[in-house]
């Protein structure tokens, strides 16, 4: 079987002779990561430029991706599951004091996990508010007629001001954190999210499942999530 579908650890050909190349990020997680990156950038650009039809389409795409990630956080590869990067306060403090657990260096570190959860939460809130927002000029969300006017007003205010700038700030902070780890700490964060593999000195780390069956499952899950988002979109007047 080709390396693409082999989640087991493989001996690294370069670097430390004791290091092994381990599948950490399964393909569905990697596709989600880059698709969400592109979708969020598109949302910021179309929102600032007032290109509302494309802004709505991007919003439904983000909704589909977030729903997929929610499900995949329970059934995805070993290091993509939420259980792999929900850390106790004590574990976080040990990490900050320089006493990192070996698992902190494989998937998401405690700070990386906080960044991930914060981004997912704020994006979910931004999408939810967009579904019931109404600028009373050219654009209204598909669910505005199902909520009260006060809720529409509150959601619109958040979505177009605080929410928008919070998303931009968190994305910027996320990028700066990645640059810090890559340039200062000399940790490879981008390449593993492209190839899926990390070089680990301790080859005992359990790899993520990333075979044809799990990829097919991910495709089915995303199709269901996209169908739900399309149904939400169909409610727009």
């Amino acid at each position: 079987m080709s390396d693409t579908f082999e989640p087991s650890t493989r001996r690294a050909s370069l670097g430390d002779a004791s290091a092994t190349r381990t599948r950490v990020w399964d393909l569905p997680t990697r596709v989600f990561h880059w698709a969400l990156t592109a979708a969020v950038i598109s949302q910021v650009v179309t929102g600032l430029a007032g290109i509302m039809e494309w802004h709505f389409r991007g919003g439904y795409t983000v909704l589909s991706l977030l729903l997929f990630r929610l499900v995949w956080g329970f059934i995805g590869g070993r290091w993509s599951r939420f259980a792999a990067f929900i850390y106790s306060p004590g574990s976080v403090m040990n990490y900050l004091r320089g006493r990192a657990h070996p698992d902190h260096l494989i998937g998401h570190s405690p700070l990386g996990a906080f960044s991930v959860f914060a981004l997912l939460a704020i994006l979910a809130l931004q999408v939810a508010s967009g579904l019931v927002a109404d600028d009373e000029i050219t654009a209204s969300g598909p669910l505005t007629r199902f909520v009260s006017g006060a809720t529409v007003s509150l959601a619109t205010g958040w979505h177009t001001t605080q929410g928008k700038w919070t998303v931009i700030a968190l994305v910027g902070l996320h990028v700066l954190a990645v640059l810090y780890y890559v340039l200062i700490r000399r940790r490879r964060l981008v390449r593993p999210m492209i190839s899926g593999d990390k070089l680990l000195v301790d080859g005992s780390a359990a790899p993520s499942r990333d075979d044809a069956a799990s990829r097919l499952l991910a495709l089915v899950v995303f199709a269901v999530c996209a169908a739900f988002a399309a149904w939400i979109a169909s409610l727009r007047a």
Side-chain angles (χ1 to χ4, degrees), residues 144-157:
T144 53
R145 66 180 184 272
F146 300 109
V147 298
S148 67
T151 300
V152 171
S153 178
L154 181 64
T156 304

Side-chain angles (χ1 to χ4, degrees), residues 24-216:
V24 173
W25 304 122
D26 54 62
L27 181 62
T29 298
R30 285 176 276 149
V31 172
F32 161 82
H33 176 88
W34 296 114
L36 186 65
T37 299
V40 170
I41 293 174
S42 170
Q43 284 301 89
V44 172
V45 171
T46 55
L48 293 175
I51 310 173
M52 298 314 297
E53 283 307 311
W54 282 102
H55 189 71
F56 273 103
R57 292 169 186 167
Y60 301 134
T61 301
V62 173
L63 174 60
S64 302
L65 290 168
L66 291 177
L67 290 173
F68 167 79
R69 189 63 182 93
L70 177 63
V71 176
W72 202 242
F74 294 98
I75 64 174
R78 164 73 174 82
W79 300 102
S80 298
R81 297 187 182 189
F82 297 136
F85 55 98
I86 295 178
Y87 299 107
S88 68
S91 182
V92 174
M93 292 304 300
N94 286 335
Y95 176 81
L96 294 175
R97 291 168 180 165
R99 299 196 297 268
H101 187 278
D103 284 0
H104 295 166
L105 306 178
I106 300 174
H108 291 302
S109 69
L111 292 183
F114 176 78
S115 176
V116 168
F117 284 125
L119 274 172
L120 292 178
I122 196 63
L123 287 175
L125 181 57
Q126 191 68 352
V127 168
S129 61
L131 294 176
V132 295
D134 186 355
D135 66 3
E136 298 183 348
I137 301 174
T138 60
S140 62
L143 303 182
T144 53
R145 66 180 184 272
F146 300 109
V147 298
S148 67
T151 300
V152 171
S153 178
L154 181 64
T156 304
W158 165 266
H159 189 84
T160 57
T161 52
Q162 301 100 318
K164 175 180 67 179
W165 294 112
T166 301
V167 168
I168 293 174
L170 282 178
V171 169
L173 184 62
H174 187 76
V175 171
L176 289 175
V178 170
L179 290 175
Y180 168 76
Y181 274 98
V182 170
L183 300 177
I184 307 300
R185 300 291 295 275
R186 299 296 181 182
R187 287 184 59 187
R188 295 180 175 181
L189 297 181
V190 178
R191 184 177 298 179
M193 194 53 75
I194 296 175
S195 69
D197 298 332
K198 281 188 176 183
L199 285 174
L200 303 176
V201 175
D202 182 2
S204 63
S208 287
R209 181 186 177 189
D210 192 22
D211 54 16
S214 66
R215 294 178 180 186
L216 179 60

